[in-house]
Amino acid sequence: MSSSRAVVLVSGGLDSATVLAMARQDGYELHALSFDYGQRHDCELRAAERICRAAGVCSHVVVPLDPRLFEGSALTSPDIAVPRGRSDEAIGSGIPVTYVPARNTIFLAMALGRAESLDAFDLFIGVNAVDYSGYPDCRPEFIDAFERMARLATRAGVSGQAIRIHTPLVSLTKADIIRRGLELGVDYGLTHSCYDPDDDGTSCGECDSCRLRLKGFAEAGAVDPIRYRRPVDHDRTDSH
Amino acid sequence: MSSSRAVVLVSGGLDSATVLAMARQDGYELHALSFDYGQRHDCELRAAERICRAAGVCSHVVVPLDPRLFEGSALTSPDIAVPRGRSDEAIGSGIPVTYVPARNTIFLAMALGRAESLDAFDLFIGVNAVDYSGYPDCRPEFIDAFERMARLATRAGVSGQAIRIHTPLVSLTKADIIRRGLELGVDYGLTHSCYDPDDDGTSCGECDSCRLRLKGFAEAGAVDPIRYRRPVDHDRTDSH
């Protein structure tokens, strides 16, 4: 029997690399989807390619998205500064300036179109409601509402075939995610998380994304294999 | 007081031209959004530009969409023939081959992103559940589910601001739409509907879209101002 196809959103970050490994573990034929939307950290896309190659995906489509759709986010606008060195409390409160308008809605809508073209009914996305509770479109109630809408939107849904949005990371801490990924053999050296990297892809170690990542590795009792601008920050967080 | 902004999906067809006129009549500041997804009838996009210019929109963004997302539709695949000369019964039954996977989900998701960037809370889309009941993503229950999802997805929704998806055409016949548009001064000579036009934009008069359009004009007691390949077909339908 041939395996079912799944469309997996792969950003190039730690979370989506783990999701891809989990979908492979579940036996799906993997079809990866990434987006190029003028994000500052385009080394994410190179990371996405490395991750997909290592996971042996059947297809990997990188969809260009018009950055005018996403005006007003620190991730796409050079005029808005990426926050640095914020406390855990500050990171966890309110909607961050790094929020990109309707991003997960757009990503999942695209994944739904790709899935329908492939006769796939399973979508995987690495949203997480623990570490990034500030993003409205990472919450389980958003995912549930999207799934319900997707069933009404599609040819498959009309014929009674359930469309499923899998969010295997939604209630895991960053440390849990890293532990699970390491068990599945994910090479986190291929991934990229920093919002504000050097030109050669070296991570800053101070933006929200780096801090959550470093904290996760520290709590998982593992060493983050990627390169940081200042080893001192890594050591400090790692020694918690 | 400045007027509220609305994001209006403008395909270049008769329906969206009417929706744009209705949103203007309602007093919104108009921000149009169109998509270039390798559709066969790219003269639609030229029509969209003409319509937006005539309506005096504040902005018109044409978003390129990767056609690989939409494989498997007669509108995007040269291998699948556009049906011609079908009966009204055939047109109204089942999901047509011109269905584009998850199209309205993707279009509305993009419109939601654009709306959030503009601090707009009103989206307009010309879906219609009367003449095109074969498309699952034109049904009111799909729109309701999208609206509910959108409120959970966005910064605006989280802060209690309602996102509204306006579908002013949803229960109108094609003839009703045309009558309403003519009252509002829409120049239907600027619009394009044909799925299979000549290179110069002349409409075929035989595809489902042309047939529904010609039937609508006939029932509205009006003459369609656009050019058709064979005047005899127009006359035939017009004389019903």
Side-chain angles (χ1 to χ4, degrees), chain A residues 62 65 68-69 71 95 99 101-102 105-106 109-110 113 116-117 136-137 139 141-142 148-149 152-153 155 158, chain B residues 62 65 68-69 71 95 99 101-102 105-106 109-110 113 116-117 136-137 139 141-142 145 149 152-153 155 158:
Chain A
V62 180
L65 283 181
R68 284 171 297 181
L69 286 169
E71 284 162 11
I95 298 179
Y99 170 70
T105 307
I106 292 171
M110 295 279 189
E116 234 189 334
S117 294
D137 53 359
R139 296 174 299 163
E141 52 266 47
F142 160 70
R148 187 170 169 277
M149 182 276 295
L152 290 164
R155 196 194 288 264
V158 167
Chain B
V62 180
L65 283 181
R68 285 170 297 180
L69 286 169
E71 283 162 12
I95 297 178
Y99 170 70
T105 306
I106 292 171
M110 296 279 191
E116 234 189 334
S117 295
D137 53 359
R139 296 174 300 162
E141 52 265 48
F142 160 71
M149 183 275 296
L152 290 164
R155 195 195 289 265
V158 167

Side-chain angles (χ1 to χ4, degrees), chain A residues 89-135:
Chain A
E89 292 68 37
I91 291 175
S93 68
I95 298 179
V97 294
T98 49
Y99 170 70
V100 177
R103 181 168 63 174
N104 284 345
T105 307
I106 292 171
F107 288 0
L108 283 174
M110 295 279 189
L112 186 64
R114 178 78 181 138
E116 234 189 334
S117 294
L118 291 165
D119 271 326
F121 311 107
D122 293 273
L123 278 57
F124 282 78
I125 181 170
V127 293
N128 182 273
V130 178
D131 281 328
Y132 266 144
S133 56
Y135 293 117

Side-chain angles (χ1 to χ4, degrees), chain B residues 28-45:
Chain B
Y28 288 98
E29 179 185 303
L30 304 175
H31 294 269
L33 194 58
S34 303
F35 301 96
D36 181 356
Y37 55 99
Q39 59 268 60
R40 285 181 176 181
H41 44 310
D42 71 351
C43 34
E44 269 203 358
L45 287 175

Side-chain angles (χ1 to χ4, degrees), chain A residues 3-27:
Chain A
S3 56
S4 296
R5 293 168 173 174
V7 174
V8 185
L9 293 174
V10 178
S11 69
L14 181 158
D15 291 346
S16 63
T18 313
V19 169
L20 193 64
M22 291 165 110
R24 188 175 55 175
Q25 174 79 0
D26 290 348

Side-chain angles (χ1 to χ4, degrees), chain B residues 55-152:
Chain B
V57 302
C58 283
S59 75
H60 180 208
V61 173
V62 180
V63 177
L65 283 181
D66 194 311
R68 285 170 297 180
L69 286 169
F70 297 119
E71 283 162 12
S73 164
L75 289 198
T76 52
S77 305
D79 303 341
I80 304 175
V82 169
R84 313 171 71 84
R86 298 205 298 162
S87 69
D88 292 353
E89 292 69 34
I91 292 176
S93 68
I95 297 178
V97 294
T98 49
Y99 170 70
V100 176
R103 182 167 62 173
N104 283 346
T105 306
I106 292 171
F107 288 0
L108 282 174
M110 296 279 191
L112 186 65
R114 179 78 182 137
E116 234 189 334
S117 295
L118 291 166
D119 272 325
F121 310 106
D122 293 272
L123 279 57
F124 281 78
I125 181 170
V127 293
N128 182 273
V130 178
D131 281 328
Y132 265 144
S133 57
Y135 293 116
D137 53 359
C138 289
R139 296 174 300 162
E141 52 265 48
F142 160 71
I143 298 292
D144 290 347
F146 191 97
E147 196 174 66
R148 187 170 168 275
M149 183 275 296
R151 289 174 187 180
L152 290 164

